[in-house]
DNA sequence: AGTTCCCTGAGG
DNA sequence: CCTCAGGGAACT
């Protein structure tokens, strides 16, 4: 499931493939993939792609004329660039949207393909300003790779509730999901049910560092391929072999041998070591 | 702040 | 068959 490292990997792979290309046509194969109206999305035809960026787990494809495309992969979304011939050869039933790009000299047109088995993914198209003002995007918190100690501590102190729940809140930090929240808490030695606002300053700093380290290391490994995540070129990520608690409920802790506990928090499973992680 | 729902393939 | 996984929106 794509979280910040997986989305960052996708953005880095797509950037050189898309920047400078023009969009000739937009084809929607599954209407529910498009958030809101289809009209502004259709109007993306003709724009020239200027930049590909990440905001939290959202992918921004910035175009000319102050128009953009925003993509959220959610659980099973995949983005890639395929030649028309390769696209036809695959006859993939899970393709939900394509953007036809201008042909490179002497070659057939390429397609930016959005495939998504479970249809949880969403795309938004339209004026860049209007997209940035969308509630989900406007309320996104700071990037965990960029936030500094004082700001992180202040944000923690301003919130109530359990630490794990807070880490999953995209308005607190943008980009951390279930996998890296569990892993960062383990590496920081902090219990997922710890009260966020009561965390001491040193422990808060340890957590911030753990989040940054785990995310950066995963980016270097190309993210984690747990079930459906693959790079735009079809390669898997390699970070899942580094995971120490996620998905390991009932197994032995790799540090101390204690049995990893699995609890459910807001419909999401949480795994932690009851001995290594303290409230 | 907690619950429900969306969706489909995989595994029992 | 049934159940489970899960990000985030939309509820209560």
């Amino acid at each position: 499931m794509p979280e910040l490292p997986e989305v960052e990997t996708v953005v880095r792979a797509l950037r050189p493939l898309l920047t400078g290309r023009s969009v000739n046509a937009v084809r929607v194969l599954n209407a529910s993939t498009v958030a809101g109206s289809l009209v502004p999305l259709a109007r993306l035809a003709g724009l020239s792609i200027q930049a590909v960026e990440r905001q939290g787990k959202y992918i921004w494809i910035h175009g000319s004329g102050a128009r953009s495309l925003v993509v959220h992969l959610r659980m099973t979304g995949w983005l890639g660039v395929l030649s028309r011939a390769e696209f036809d050869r695959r006859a993939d039933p899970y393709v939900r949207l394509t953007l036809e790009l201008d042909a490179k000299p002497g070659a057939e047109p390429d397609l930016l393909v959005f495939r998504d088995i479970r249809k949880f993914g969403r795309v938004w198209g339209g004026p860049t300003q209007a997209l940035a003002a969308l509630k989900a995007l406007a309320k996104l918190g700071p990037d965990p790779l960029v936030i500094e100690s004082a700001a992180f501590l202040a944000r923690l102190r301003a919130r109530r509730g359990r630490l794990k729940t807070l880490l999953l809140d995209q308005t607190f930090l943008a980009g951390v999901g279930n996998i890296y929240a569990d892993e960062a808490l383990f590496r920081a030695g902090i219990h997922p049910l710890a009260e966020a606002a009561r965390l001491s300053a040193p422990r808060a700093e340890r957590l911030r560092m753990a989040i940054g380290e785990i995310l950066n290391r995963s980016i270097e490994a190309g993210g984690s391929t747990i079930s459906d995540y693959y790079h735009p070129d079809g390669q898997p990520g390699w970070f899942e072999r580094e995971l120490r608690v996620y998905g390991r409920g009932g197994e032995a802790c790799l540090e101390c041998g204690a049995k990893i506990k699995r609890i459910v928090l807001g419909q999401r499973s949480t795994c932690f070591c009851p001995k290594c992680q303290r409230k």
Side-chain angles (χ1 to χ4, degrees):
Chain A
M1 350 82 231
E3 301 182 21
L4 187 151
E6 290 76 26
V7 176
E8 180 65 28
T9 302
V10 170
V11 163
R12 290 183 185 184
L14 290 179
R15 189 172 286 142
L17 299 175
L18 296 182
T19 308
R21 314 267 320 256
S22 296
V23 175
N24 289 338
V26 181
R27 204 145 277 132
V28 176
L29 300 151
N30 177 63
S32 72
T33 293
V34 179
S37 162
L38 293 168
V39 178
L41 192 78
R43 290 206 184 114
L44 294 182
L47 70 62
S48 148
I49 297 171
Q50 295 173 330
V52 183
E53 305 289 345
R54 178 185 62 77
Q55 183 186 7
K57 300 176 200 169
Y58 293 82
I59 296 164
W60 277 91
I61 299 175
H62 287 285
S64 57
R67 287 173 297 165
S68 297
L69 178 73
V70 173
V71 179
H72 196 300
L73 303 173
R74 291 278 181 94
M75 306 299 301
T76 56
W78 175 85
L79 280 174
V81 177
L82 300 177
S83 70
R84 168 70 69 183
E86 176 61 14
F87 177 78
D88 289 342
R89 194 190 63 75
R90 292 188 184 189
D92 183 344
Y94 301 120
V95 173
R96 309 306 183 191
L97 178 103
T98 64
L99 298 192
E100 187 183 307
L101 306 172
D102 58 321
K104 285 180 278 197
E108 57 184 325
D110 282 335
L111 297 170
L112 174 65
V113 175
F114 179 64
R115 97 187 279 266
D116 184 21
I117 294 174
R118 293 192 195 169
K119 300 183 185 170
F120 276 21
R122 288 290 178 274
V123 304
W124 297 255
T128 303
Q129 275 201 319
L131 296 177
L134 289 170
K135 207 179 284 175
L137 288 160
K139 290 176 70 176
L140 281 180
D143 195 284
L145 298 179
V146 171
I147 191 166
E148 294 183 3
S149 325
F152 183 70
L153 185 62
R155 287 182 83 77
L156 266 184
R157 291 283 157 78
R159 300 288 293 262
R160 41 177 66 246
R162 316 288 199 180
L163 205 43
K164 166 75 186 275
T165 311
L166 194 57
L167 291 179
L168 296 180
D169 182 344
Q170 300 300 297
T171 70
F172 177 69
L173 282 182
V176 178
N178 209 30
I179 300 169
Y180 298 104
D182 278 4
E183 292 298 314
L185 286 167
F186 175 77
R187 280 163 214 243
I190 302 172
H191 198 288
L193 299 181
E195 284 289 330
R198 295 188 182 206
L199 211 61
S200 72
R203 298 186 87 208
E205 180 58 8
R206 238 166 83 197
L207 176 61
R208 187 188 71 93
M209 297 287 287
I211 295 170
E213 281 170 22
I214 193 98
L215 294 176
N216 275 319
R217 284 192 203 163
S218 183
I219 291 169
E220 286 168 23
S224 306
T225 294
I226 304 286
S227 57
D228 299 284
Y229 168 76
Y230 291 92
H231 300 178
D233 65 4
Q235 293 299 306
W238 296 110
F239 196 71
E240 70 275 14
R241 56 176 73 170
E242 308 290 331
L243 302 178
R244 308 230 189 118
V245 282
Y246 177 83
R248 299 193 62 244
E251 298 176 32
C253 172
L254 299 170
E255 293 289 329
C256 76
K259 199 166 162 184
I260 301 287
K261 250 188 120 174
R262 178 183 176 276
I263 58 174
V264 175
L265 269 178
Q267 303 290 89
R268 260 148 212 89
S269 68
T270 292
C271 296
F272 65 98
C273 172
K275 205 172 149 198
C276 295
Q277 296 175 251
R278 301 289 176 166
K279 287 187 189 171

